[in-house]
Amino acid sequence: MSFSVSQFKQQFPLFSQPENRDLVYLDNAATTQKPAVVIDAIRDFYLHSNANTHRSSHRLARQATAMVERVRAQAAAFLGTGNVREVIFTRGATEGLNLLANSLCAELAPGDEVVLSTAEHHANLVPWQMAAARHQLHIRYVPDERGIPQFDRLVEVLGPRTRIVSLTAGSNALGFRADLAQIRQMLAGRDLRWVVDAAQLAAHEPIDVQEIGCDFLVCSAHKFYGPSGIGLLFGREQWLQQMPPWQGGGEMIADVDLHSSHYADLPHKFEAGTSSLAAIAGLGACLEFLQSQDRAAMAVHEQQLLRTLHEQVGKLPGMELLSSAENNLGILAFSDSRFVPVDLMHWLDGKDIAVRVGHHCAQPLIRATGHSATLRASLAAYNSEQDVARFVAAVAEFLDQLDSAENAPTHVEPEVAEGWPIDDLSVLDIEALRSRRGWQERYRLLMQWSKAIAAKPIIRSPEHLVQGCESSAWLVHRQLGEKHYFALDSDSRVVKGLGAFLLSQLNGKSLEEVRSTDLEALFTEFEFDKHLSPSRSNGFYALMQRAMAILEQQK
Ligand code: PMP
């Protein structure tokens, strides 16, 4: 077998919808798109065989039950266990980890230890923290260097009280992988349970729990082209038998009376309530789909793209990457002191390139790298060289806009009074904005205008924070005689640029003059509503509304 990106991508109907023809989707670590076979299977389930499983035995119920157990057998093969009793359906990796934290920790004694790493997704941190508080357990962390776990030093934190080691197979924030074979060696012969968070790994290569040698493993179908709302928990039968169930309810019992219950056999003991049946049907189709692909060739393709992405973005002026192409599950990550990542994200969004910014649910790791947010581009097999080229070109253009803003004169001649300066915005010429042809040119000018807004740490307090701005913005007001003045601060260049535009229309005017200024008309005239992402537009309106509310209070 071999791999053709275009043939692979054709199987994902989202990309052929008219509104998505230009889409470059690089947010695959968050969730992947779905092939037609998965969408059809979900629809077909509701269309032909929707019924609840196990509880009743009419024709449709038998059909649905058989489907669920068939998919369980497929999932057992997908995970590399031949034993269906070792496969629990969950809502996703998060639920699998919560189940483990609850059931495994219930048996532990105060002072027992759980080992985690600084690179864990919050789903593999918070449930253990909660269980540790409940059972007086200690959490220890694999030694790290600036947040990056040194998995080869895992033994340093293993001790006689270590009962659980729960580690990621690959970081969802920076992409680096853990060496599972090495971890297996270090854990060999110890009386503890090893949990692998394979939420990212499962999207990029086949999983084999026998080869990995772990006791438990979790993943979410939506990360590997399957539906959301369904995930898998693998657990060794021997341990699952001993563990108390996590949730109680229907399906997980054999017999119930008023004072006690007997639980069902594995795997149903851990599946309380009605499962996500349609999602299980979709998962079945997804597993068949994956089986029919040349996964090794898919991985080669993804790795090639990842190298290109790192090489080309790494070459852009002043760019320092937080991720490396080596040993990486398909993620490029960076942060840059010249701009807040959310500005670049919106710029890319304006070109229909989807990426993610933030801490990626791995706050301790991102903080340890010295940042509060990063921009992450994450790959799947339907991404192409053209996707990478468009992303790189768009980032380069954004940096170019920044550069021209750097060279723009700083117009600030602050008049310092009462603690914060009134920026001099009189030099911002609306006619210059009017004469700029095209959005790109206007955006460039807005970035230059952002320089007219001086930093004002003094106004960054909760009472001045404007809700509704995706990037924080603070707005203050002062009246001098009849005239009103506002000042603003934000980390975002775009918010500052838009704010400069807004304040240039308000500052130095009386209430009557402000009232006769049609800000919304200007906003439409300059096509901000067309080119800015909705959250940016909402941010602008939030600033405008706050300014107007402040003015109305002055009467
Ligand atoms: N662990 C990792 C490494 C992940 O990337 C994610 C999802 N981003 C999760 C756990 C949680 O998965 P889910 O939200 O599907 O439960």
Side-chain angles (χ1 to χ4, degrees):
M1 276 197 280
S2 62
F3 181 71
S4 148
V5 194
S6 56
Q7 276 172 21
F8 187 75
K9 190 170 178 179
Q10 268 169 24
Q11 304 187 65
F12 291 77
L14 179 131
F15 294 116
S16 52
Q17 302 307 306
E19 72 279 15
N20 295 331
R21 290 255 159 88
D22 270 346
L23 172 69
V24 173
Y25 186 76
L26 293 172
D27 194 17
N28 295 289
T31 199
T32 51
Q33 300 306 335
K34 317 302 169 203
V37 285
V38 168
I39 300 169
D40 290 348
I42 294 171
R43 183 173 174 276
D44 286 351
F45 173 75
Y46 285 125
L47 205 56
H48 297 292
S49 53
N50 177 44
N52 211 333
T53 51
H54 299 115
R55 284 179 208 144
S56 47
S57 56
H58 56 76
R59 178 174 58 82
L60 285 185
R62 284 198 307 276
Q63 235 169 287
T65 305
M67 179 276 289
V68 168
E69 296 313 321
R70 196 170 55 243
V71 176
R72 197 188 304 277
Q74 281 178 273
F78 172 77
L79 293 169
T81 165
N83 183 354
V84 288
R85 293 156 70 82
E86 298 190 320
V87 178
I88 315 290
F89 287 123
T90 61
R91 278 197 303 124
T94 303
E95 190 175 70
L97 290 163
N98 274 277
L99 187 160
L100 292 172
N102 276 272
S103 293
L104 286 174
C105 295
E107 311 280 81
L108 301 187
D112 281 345
E113 293 174 2
V114 177
V115 171
L116 308 174
S117 91
T118 43
E120 300 309 318
H121 186 281
H122 296 165
N124 198 24
L125 285 175
V126 184
W128 301 109
Q129 291 170 350
M130 291 161 72
R134 256 191 326 270
H135 303 288
Q136 292 102 53
L137 311 174
H138 295 310
I139 297 184
R140 304 189 68 183
Y141 287 91
V142 175
D144 70 282
E145 277 173 23
R146 294 198 76 212
I148 313 291
Q150 308 296 297
F151 291 113
D152 55 344
R153 293 175 55 197
L154 169 61
V155 277
E156 293 175 29
V157 287
L158 300 177
R161 301 296 301 268
T162 311
R163 298 284 175 261
I164 296 165
V165 172
S166 187
L167 299 175
T168 188
S171 161
N172 65 303
L174 302 184
F176 58 77
R177 308 173 57 138
D179 181 344
L180 297 178
Q182 189 184 48
I183 294 177
R184 178 184 188 161
Q185 264 180 4
M186 285 186 280
L187 297 181
R190 293 180 188 261
D191 182 20
L192 50 76
R193 307 285 170 265
W194 176 22
V195 180
V196 173
D197 176 357
Q200 293 297 326
L201 182 70
H204 301 283
E205 66 182 38
I207 300 287
D208 184 342
V209 290
Q210 302 305 345
E211 192 189 322
I212 295 172
C214 56
D215 299 296
F216 300 94
L217 181 141
V218 298
C219 56
S220 295
H222 71 93
K223 308 265 190 204
F224 52 82
Y225 313 112
S228 49
I230 189 73
L232 299 172
L233 163 64
F234 157 80
R236 293 205 178 280
E237 179 168 357
Q238 178 188 6
W239 310 136
L240 289 174
Q241 289 288 11
Q242 292 172 14
M243 286 158 55
W246 171 39
Q247 293 181 321
E251 302 279 352
M252 52 75 71
I253 42 80
D255 183 65
V256 177
D257 68 27
L258 287 181
H259 298 288
S260 64
S261 309
H262 294 285
Y263 306 131
D265 278 343
L266 288 177
H268 302 110
K269 179 171 102 171
F270 290 103
E271 292 177 357
T274 302
S275 300
S276 308
L277 301 174
I280 292 176
L283 171 63
C286 164
L287 296 178
E288 224 172 278
F289 169 78
L290 282 177
Q291 215 185 8
S292 70
Q293 306 298 324
D294 182 341
R295 294 201 71 191
M298 276 163 75
V300 168
H301 164 69
E302 287 178 11
Q303 287 297 312
Q304 177 56 44
L305 291 185
L306 188 68
R307 273 194 300 278
T308 313
L309 203 51
H310 278 78
E311 270 163 30
Q312 300 201 350
V313 177
K315 269 196 232 150
L316 296 175
M319 186 60 85
E320 272 180 45
L321 302 181
L322 292 170
S323 57
S324 130
E326 296 310 307
N327 233 349
N328 177 325
L329 285 174
I331 288 172
L332 171 91
F334 58 85
S335 192
D336 193 307
S337 56
R338 293 170 291 177
F339 57 88
V340 286
V342 73
D343 280 357
L344 174 54
M345 189 272 280
H346 285 295
W347 171 255
L348 294 170
D349 188 32
K351 295 175 178 297
D352 218 4
I353 301 174
V355 296
R356 186 162 291 251
V357 297
H359 51 58
H360 314 291
C361 296
Q363 238 171 341
L365 174 64
I366 296 300
R367 276 207 199 106
T369 64
H371 302 279
S372 57
T374 64
L375 185 138
R376 177 183 79 183
S378 52
L379 295 166
Y382 42 61
N383 290 125
S384 61
E385 293 285 351
Q386 291 94 300
D387 289 348
V388 168
R390 270 187 55 199
F391 172 78
V392 176
V395 175
E397 255 174 20
F398 178 80
L399 293 178
D400 183 47
Q401 309 270 18
L402 275 188
D403 268 359
S404 64
E406 280 316 320
N407 299 332
T410 304
H411 303 300
V412 187
E413 285 167 29
E415 175 191 317
V416 182
E418 291 176 38
W420 51 264
I422 297 172
D423 298 313
D424 178 9
L425 304 176
S426 61
V427 286
L428 307 188
D429 180 8
I430 198 127
E431 289 310 319
L433 197 59
R434 214 164 249 140
S435 66
R436 293 275 170 134
R437 302 232 149 217
W439 173 244
Q440 200 117 329
E441 286 304 307
R442 284 200 193 118
Y443 191 90
R444 194 184 288 273
L445 190 60
L446 279 179
M447 294 292 246
Q448 291 177 8
W449 283 10
S450 71
K451 299 206 67 186
I453 304 288
K456 301 172 196 69
I458 195 165
I459 72 168
R460 291 184 174 221
S461 52
E463 70 271 27
H464 300 137
L465 187 65
V466 180
Q467 302 296 340
C469 287
E470 193 174 327
S471 316
S472 300
W474 294 266
L475 186 72
V476 286
H477 165 264
R478 178 183 304 146
Q479 185 168 358
L480 298 176
E482 288 289 290
K483 304 211 185 274
H484 295 273
Y485 294 88
F486 290 90
L488 161 119
D489 199 9
S490 174
D491 289 332
S492 158
R493 285 271 182 102
V494 184
V495 171
K496 277 187 176 177
L498 286 169
F501 163 74
L502 175 67
L503 301 196
S504 70
Q505 298 304 304
L506 300 179
N507 279 4
K509 289 185 174 169
S510 68
L511 192 54
E512 281 60 42
E513 285 169 325
V514 170
R515 280 191 182 137
S516 61
T517 309
D518 191 347
L519 289 168
E520 291 198 32
L522 286 174
F523 197 73
T524 316
E525 179 193 339
F526 296 128
E527 299 188 320
F528 291 163
D529 51 342
K530 214 161 112 194
H531 295 283
L532 291 171
S533 66
S535 59
R536 277 287 182 248
S537 299
N538 290 342
F540 177 85
Y541 284 119
L543 277 175
M544 189 168 84
Q545 278 160 5
R546 170 70 75 91
M548 296 319 264
I550 293 173
L551 287 178
E552 293 304 326
Q553 280 165 12
Q554 308 302 313
K555 284 188 289 179

